[in-house]
């Protein structure tokens, strides 16, 4: 039997971590409790963060939006600020798991779990999310792409927690795109995904592009070369096609029971072509 | 503060009391009586049995595909506090063998492990946590043996043998049939098409995993409650395996939480029986985890099927040559019967004068192949119906017209030489599809595919036999009782695993005896209370049991009316009629309540029984006796035609099923809702079979042992389904009905494959049609064509 | 560990290990077997319960998390004599076959209709995306949910959970 604590404040949490620094932290439990059942982890104690008020909610600050790490995915999905400013994230949330999973799971959990298939991650990468890491002794801020270093691996020291996510409010991108390829329309793990932010001029030229792929490498893959290849060019099939080989080179997918590596590589490139639908004047692709 | 848990204050619109006032009629949709307890969470499935002083039982699985068992080490587990017993084969005094046809599966391994899911030891513990620890502490010494993991390697000379004592080696059963001469016929064909199809190993994935409860009663009786399709057969199997007299065993089968063939035969029963014999009279519960269900449960056979189909230039089929290889895993289970039914259906519902069919059920060290809705027919239909489209393409003929041209009609001989003497409505089904806008307007719909999308439509023709065939008696025994309280009890001999036959039984009894729902009680299968009526399988439940039940109800009705006529002192019971709760003398309006009438009748008079045996084919087809013993041939078939519209995503290879039409000849319908449930549910399973479901196995180990990796469709993956019946009266059926349980499962895979071929111009011979396979095929075609 | 919570409207106090799964607490300790376990890993939705009115998976929740919560299981939604409108629609529209997924499906529907009182068929399918059914093909479940929604609309009493 393991002790399960439900601290109501960070103060209380630090005290618990002092006493049992090897305790496993969870919020929604949709990942950790599955691993415990499968015997993949065996922590001495559990701390559930679902009631730590300081870790919850969406705050509209001056030039940033702060999201508490223990905010549930469904709260976030229904949040007006997220809907207004960060459609790419909302699109990721909409296809993540299923309603009960989104009611339980949290954005912080999705990040710390650091699955290459995490559905919020490509969006957070293109949005340049900054993560607020806190401990009893203070806090630090780190970019998500520096925080996640491998499948299930994040740079979090003992006694540290992911407390919040900061997103810059001023994002000029008019096009927010996320496409997930799964083996089922709900309750599915991505076998490939792509998030994109684009600014397209009135004349149809891509002024800025941010692209990120999920499930095609040990972490979310970004490809500056592909972004550069489509920037300054018309948003057309022709220019998008030119970027495909760059994407195929950047990704490093694996074979697993859900899909083979060759497929993932091909799809990662082909998903770019979907962006051409925006040039046709439609606001949402697919 | 308001109480948030209070249910929203809304008036119920329809409750049991209202439903209970209804006198059932035949042919109308009425709410299923079982739905009320299920929808309120009060129904007690086998998995829901808990009780005072209960013990948990669980199994140590081998985890190795092929090995000689040297010893089982139980000591460490036995020493764990809370462990009651750790049992091995040495604790079994019976044959320790289970099986339906060939008894080749041990309850607990004695000589050899033949697949990873084999049970090595049975652990009894006070609670689940201790049980899990004890199972981990139990170990075994094995001498690993080389295994066989494909039918090809299993059939090689000098292949390791799964059963050294089997005269056929790794061939469990070879079935073959020749009519005419394929060899000489081939020369007379204008067109030949040839292909090899591979279909995957598939899990039933019922929501209620294998579960049960057992107790050795003070009178020495062993009572077993199990989620099963076959309580009467289970009793014999358990008795034989454990060395008990069958009459010492009482099997009880509550509503099952899904079964689809996976509970056709023993799962937990013998293990639970053994546990109860060592539990000092305490009740024992066993409930397999989802992973255990994947590893140890039976599956739909993976198949490899070679087809060569020849036709004349006008499209008439002339010859068909097939070779079917079914991976039956380590045990017979029902593998021989499955390959036989597959063989019988391998030419589809067509007239073909020259056929040569060969089928092999092959032992391997993979998971156990067994019964699964469709029962071999799902596999061969996938092959044959794609062959028909390939042939149509080669002949430049409309695929629907090609099917119509060759479709069997009443009076024809089907391609295995059986004269179709029962209702045969395939042509009507195909014609309904041909008239439907989803077919006639397909070209316009296809042309409107959006960017990066391709659209296609596919059709198939289907047939599915019902019942056991000629040798094993396909018999049901119904019993119905007027209780002393004046109510009606229907003793259901066939399990309701979700298909709704219990509710249908109520509908039949209520309709004949003119009693409202509240006056009828259903007694679910119980070897002590209900009469043997065979398995809940083979699309036979309502056909066979329904016929028996009609007979029993009519007998009881007559007895009630005659007795009432006597008491009312009227001459003719024609003047009396049953009404809810009473008998009325129609000319005078005098009534006798049933509870009063019942007091004048003794128990045997108040009870009526009836046996029914399903008809069998009288022709002696040119097959060996072995094949006849495995159920060949059938005489009664349901028919159908399916149409599907799909959209293929060119960038991802994802196939989206947009619309589905099923037209079926399953005879007349007793309850349209239940009919639609069967069709819609079967199609959803078929869509999973076509697109996503595949138990991946490596060297005998299941890699996809959970519902996160074995992908069954969720609500958004299934399209709106239209299910039209072609209600042709089948004189031998209850109210003209034929079987509907399985046929629709067989359609979606070939229909979708045909639609994908229509959309993309590529055919994928290996299913499921995963995004990866579709995208690869699509891109190979595009690069060949130099496009893109 | 002593846990106090409201179960189907009644204050309940239990002394159970804090790390015991809620599905086990409900089924084995309290005797409410309406919440079914089918996968144990959050993939199927059969163990769905309402926690403060919101659908959650009781196989991925620990007893300690019950503290102070209001829990509704299928047993608390309606009875056979007095079916909840969703339950009533499920029986009437033929949405129930084997029924093992149904308690979870009904509770997921309650959550869905609270958020969206008149969902389209597509929204219903998405809203029930975490609840697997192997019998029905979902069509009659969608029919039933639609009917339950329109009946609530007819009676001008949306299915909601007063917060």
């Amino acid at each position: 039997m393991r002790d399960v604590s439900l601290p109501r404040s960070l103060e209380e949490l630090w005290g618990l971590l002092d006493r049992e620094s090897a305790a496993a932290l969870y919020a929604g439990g949709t990942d950790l409790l599955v691993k415990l059942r499968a015997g993949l982890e065996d922590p001495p104690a559990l701390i559930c963060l679902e009631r730590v008020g300081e870790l919850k909610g969406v705050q509209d600050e001056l030039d940033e939006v702060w999201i508490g790490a223990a905010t549930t995915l469904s709260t976030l999905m229904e949040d007006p600020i997220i809907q207004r400013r960060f459609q790419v994230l909302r699109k990721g949330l909409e296809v993540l798991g299923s309603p009960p999973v989104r009611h339980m799971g949290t954005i912080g959990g999705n990040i710390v779990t650091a699955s290459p298939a995490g559905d919020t991650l490509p969006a957070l990468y293109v949005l340049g999310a900054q993560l607020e890491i806190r401990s009893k002794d203070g806090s630090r801020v780190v970019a998500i792409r520096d925080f996640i270093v491998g499948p299930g691996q994040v740079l979090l020291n003992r006694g540290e927690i992911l407390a919040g996510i900061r997103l810059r409010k001023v994002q000029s991108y008019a096009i927010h795109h996320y496409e997930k390829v799964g083996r089922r329309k709900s309750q599915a793990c991505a076998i490939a995904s792509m998030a994109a932010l684009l600014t397209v001029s009135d004349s149809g030229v891509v002024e800025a592009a941010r692209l990120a792929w999920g499930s095609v490498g040990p972490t979310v893959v970004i490809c500056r070369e592909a972004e550069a290849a489509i920037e300054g060019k018309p948003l057309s099939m022709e220019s998008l096609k030119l970027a495909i080989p760059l994407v195929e080179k950047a990704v490093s997918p694996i074979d697993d029971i859900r899909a083979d590596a060759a497929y993932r590589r091909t799809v990662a490139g082909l998903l770019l072509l979907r962006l051409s639908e925006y040039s046709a004047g439609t606001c949402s692709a697919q | 503060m308001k109480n948030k848990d209070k249910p929203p204050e809304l008036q119920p619109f329809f409750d049991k009391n209202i439903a209970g006032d209804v006198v059932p009629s035949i042919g109308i949709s009425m709410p299923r009586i079982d739905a009320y307890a299920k929808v309120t969470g009060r129904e007690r499935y086998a998995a829901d049995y808990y009780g005072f002083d209960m013990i948990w039982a669980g199994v140590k699985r081998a985890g190795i595909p092929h090995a000689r068992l040297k010893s089982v080490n139980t000591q460490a587990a036995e020493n764990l506090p809370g462990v009651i017993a750790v049992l091995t084969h040495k604790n079994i005094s019976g044959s320790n063998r289970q099986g339906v046809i060939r008894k080749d599966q041990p309850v607990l391994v004695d000589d050899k492990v033949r697949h990873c899911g084999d049970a090595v030891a049975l652990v009894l513990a006070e609670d689940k946590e201790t049980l899990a620890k004890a199972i981990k502490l139990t170990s075994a010494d094995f001498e690993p043996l080389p295994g066989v993991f494909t039918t090809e390697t299993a059939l090689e000379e000098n292949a390791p043998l799964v059963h050294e004592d089997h005269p056929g080696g790794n061939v469990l059963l070879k079935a073959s049939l020749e009519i005419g001469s394929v060899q000489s016929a081939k020369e007379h064909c204008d067109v030949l098409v040839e292909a090899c199809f591979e279909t995957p190993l598939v899990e039933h994935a019922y929501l209620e995993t294998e579960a049960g409860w057992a107790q050795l009663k003070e009178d020495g009786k062993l009572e077993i409650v199990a989620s099963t399709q076959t309580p009467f057969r289970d009793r014999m199997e358990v008795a034989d395996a454990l060395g008990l007299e069958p009459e010492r065993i009482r099997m009880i089968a509550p509503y099952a939480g899904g079964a689809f063939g996976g509970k056709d035969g023993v799962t937990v029963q013998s293990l639970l029986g053994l546990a109860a014999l060592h539990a000092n009279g305490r009740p024992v519960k066993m409930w397999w985890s989802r992973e255990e269900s994947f590893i140890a449960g039976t599956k739909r056979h993976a198949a490899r099927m070679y087809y060569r189909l020849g036709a004349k230039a006008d499209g008439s089929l002339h010859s068909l040559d097939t070779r079917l290889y079914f991976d039956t895993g380590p045990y017979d289970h029902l593998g021989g019967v499955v390959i036989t039914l597959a063989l019988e259906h391998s030419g589809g519902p067509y007239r073909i004068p020259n056929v040569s069919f060969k089928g092999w059920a092959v032992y391997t060290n993979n998971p156990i192949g067994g019964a699964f809705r469709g029962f071999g027919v799902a596999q061969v239909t996938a092959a044959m119906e794609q062959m028909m489209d390939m042939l149509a393409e080669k002949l430049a003929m409309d695929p629907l017209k090609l099917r119509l041209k060759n479709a069997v009609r009443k009076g024809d001989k089907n391609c295995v030489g059986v004269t179709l003497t029962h209702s045969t409505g395939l042509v009507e089904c195909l014609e309904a599809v041909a008239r439907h806008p989803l077919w006639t307007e397909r070209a316009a719909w296809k042309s409107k595919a959006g960017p990066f999308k391709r659209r296609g439509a596919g059709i198939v023709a289907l047939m599915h036999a019902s019942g056991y065939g000629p040798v094993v008696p396909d018999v049901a025994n119904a019993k119905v009782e007027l209780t002393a309280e004046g109510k009606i009890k229907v003793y259901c001999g066939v399990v309701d695993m979700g298909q709704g036959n219990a509710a249908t039984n109520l509908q039949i009894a209520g309709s004949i005896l003119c009693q409202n729902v509240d006056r009828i009680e259903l007694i679910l299968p119980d070897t002590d209370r209900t009469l043997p009526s065979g398995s809940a399988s083979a699309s036979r439940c309502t056909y066979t049991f329904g016929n028996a039940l009609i007979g029993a109800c009519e007998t009881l009705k007559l007895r009630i009316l005659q007795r009432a006529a006597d008491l009312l002192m009227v001459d003719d019971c024609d003047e009396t009629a049953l009404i809810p709760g009473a008998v009325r003398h129609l000319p005078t309006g005098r009534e006798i309540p049933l509870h009063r009438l019942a007091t004048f009748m003794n128990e045997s008079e108040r009870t009526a029984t009836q046996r029914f045996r399903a008809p069998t084919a009288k022709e002696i087809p040119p097959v060996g006796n072995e094949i006849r013993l495995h159920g060949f041939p059938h005489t009664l078939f349901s028919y159908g035609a399916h149409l599907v519209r799909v959209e293929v995503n060119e960038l991802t290879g994802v196939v989206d099923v947009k619309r589905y039409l099923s037209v079926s000849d399953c005879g007349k319908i007793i309850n349209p809702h239940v009919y639609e449930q069967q069709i819609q549910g079967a199609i959803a399973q078929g869509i999973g079979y076509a697109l996503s479901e595949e138990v991946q196995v490596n060297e005998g180990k299941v890699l996809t042992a959970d519902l996160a990796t074995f992908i069954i469709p969720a609500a958004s993956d299934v399209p709106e389904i239209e299910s039209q019946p072609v209600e042709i009266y089948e004189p031998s059926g209850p109210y003209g009905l034929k079987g509907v349980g399985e046929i629709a499962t067989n359609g979606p895979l070939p229909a979708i494959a045909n639609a994908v071929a229509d959309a993309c111009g590529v055919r994928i011979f290996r299913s499921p049609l995963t995004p990866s396979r579709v995208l690869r095929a699509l891109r190979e075609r595009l690069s060949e064509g130099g496009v893109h | 560990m002593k846990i106090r919570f409201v179960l189907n409207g009644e204050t309940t106090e239990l002394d159970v290990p804090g790390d015991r799964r809620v599905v086990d607490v409900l089924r084995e300790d309290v005797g409410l077997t309406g919440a079914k376990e089918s996968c144990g890993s959050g993939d199927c939705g059969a163990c769905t319960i309402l926690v403060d009115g919101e659908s959650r998976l009781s196989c991925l929740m620990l007893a300690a998390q019950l503290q102070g919560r209001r829990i509704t299981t299928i047993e608390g939604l309606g009875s056979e004599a007095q079916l909840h409108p969703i339950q009533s629609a499920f029986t009437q529209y033929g949405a129930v076959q084997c029924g093992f997924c149904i308690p979870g499906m009904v509770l997921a529907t309650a959550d869905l209709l609270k958020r969206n009182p008149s969902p389209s068929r597509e929204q219903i399918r998405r809203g029930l995306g975490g609840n697997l059914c192997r019998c029905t093909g979902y069509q009659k479940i969608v029919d039933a949910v639609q009917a339950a929604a329109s009946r609530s609309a007819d009676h001008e009493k949306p299915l909601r959970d007063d917060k």
Side-chain angles (χ1 to χ4, degrees), chain B residues 93-106:
Chain B
S93 42
S95 71
N96 189 25
R97 284 295 179 279
Q98 309 175 115
V100 182
I101 309 288
R102 186 165 189 266
K103 289 189 181 294
D104 56 3
Q105 180 176 8

Side-chain angles (χ1 to χ4, degrees), chain B residues 250-264:
Chain B
R250 177 183 182 185
M251 286 292 317
I252 298 169
Y255 286 117
F260 316 115
K263 297 169 184 171
D264 185 341

Side-chain angles (χ1 to χ4, degrees), chain B residues 295-371:
Chain B
I295 291 162
T298 59
K299 314 265 176 284
R300 188 190 297 291
H301 288 75
R304 193 161 38 89
M305 299 166 287
Y306 296 91
Y307 268 67
R308 190 188 298 133
L309 177 65
K312 301 281 192 186
D314 68 351
S316 47
L317 302 182
H318 193 60
S319 82
L320 175 62
D321 202 347
T322 70
R323 277 173 294 138
L324 317 172
Y325 297 90
F326 278 38
D327 181 346
T328 207
Y331 301 116
D332 178 348
H333 190 68
L334 287 157
V337 193
V338 168
I339 193 72
T340 304
L341 198 72
L343 188 91
E344 183 173 1
H345 289 73
S346 57
Y350 304 113
R351 284 169 281 117
I352 314 174
N354 303 285
V355 301
S356 168
F357 299 156
K358 292 191 177 66
W360 291 260
V362 183
Y363 279 134
T364 67
N365 299 109
N366 287 326
I368 308 168

Side-chain angles (χ1 to χ4, degrees), chain B residues 165-230:
Chain B
D165 61 340
H166 185 244
N170 285 336
V171 177
L172 164 66
L173 182 71
K174 184 186 170 190
S176 63
L177 171 141
E178 307 258 350
I179 292 177
S181 166
V182 169
Q183 222 32 50
S184 56
K186 254 187 299 186
E187 294 155 23
H188 299 106
C189 290
D190 298 310
V191 185
L192 273 176
V193 282
E194 214 169 322
C196 173
F197 300 88
E198 282 180 82
T199 57
L201 185 70
V202 177
E203 174 77 1
H204 308 82
Y206 21 75
L207 271 279
E208 183 198 30
T209 51
E210 294 79 351
W213 168 271
Q215 189 172 16
L216 187 61
K217 297 287 183 180
E218 275 174 21
D219 61 2
K221 198 144 194 172
L222 179 58
E223 204 174 280
I224 303 174
V225 178
S227 192
T228 176
Q229 295 170 244
T230 48

Side-chain angles (χ1 to χ4, degrees), chain C residues 14-87:
Chain C
L14 294 176
D15 193 356
V16 292
D19 68 342
R20 194 160 162 77
R21 301 182 312 159
V22 169
V23 68
D24 295 331
V25 172
L26 291 171
R27 293 178 58 85
E28 297 173 24
D29 304 342
V30 188
L32 296 178
T33 55
K36 307 297 184 193
E37 180 172 357
S38 177
C39 72
S41 52
D43 295 308
C44 75
C47 68
T48 302
I49 57 170
L50 299 181
V51 178
D52 293 336
E54 195 170 76
S55 64
R56 303 244 173 155
L57 304 170
S58 62
C59 75
L60 296 183
M61 226 183 124
L62 302 181
Q65 293 174 263
L66 289 171
Q67 181 65 42
R69 299 292 192 205
R70 290 172 184 277
I71 305 297
T72 307
T73 68
I74 192 68
E75 290 90 346
L77 203 67
S79 66
E80 282 180 69
Q82 185 90 358
L83 292 180
H84 183 281
I86 297 171
Q87 293 170 319

Side-chain angles (χ1 to χ4, degrees), chain B residues 233-297:
Chain B
R233 200 176 70 209
D234 293 352
R235 179 170 60 167
M236 306 307 287
E237 277 199 67
V238 173
D240 186 62
L242 300 184
L244 303 170
E245 291 304 316
E247 58 271 22
R248 253 193 85 187
I249 300 171
R250 177 183 182 185
M251 286 292 317
I252 298 169
Y255 286 117
F260 316 115
K263 297 169 184 171
D264 185 341
V266 166
T267 57
V268 296
Q269 294 87 321
S270 298
L271 292 162
L272 268 173
L274 177 63
L277 294 176
H278 292 83
N280 295 319
R282 295 172 67 184
V284 188
K285 181 184 180 76
M286 176 181 281
W287 190 5
W288 291 1
S289 70
R290 178 56 63 187
E291 292 78 3
E292 190 172 17
S293 178
F294 266 98
I295 291 162

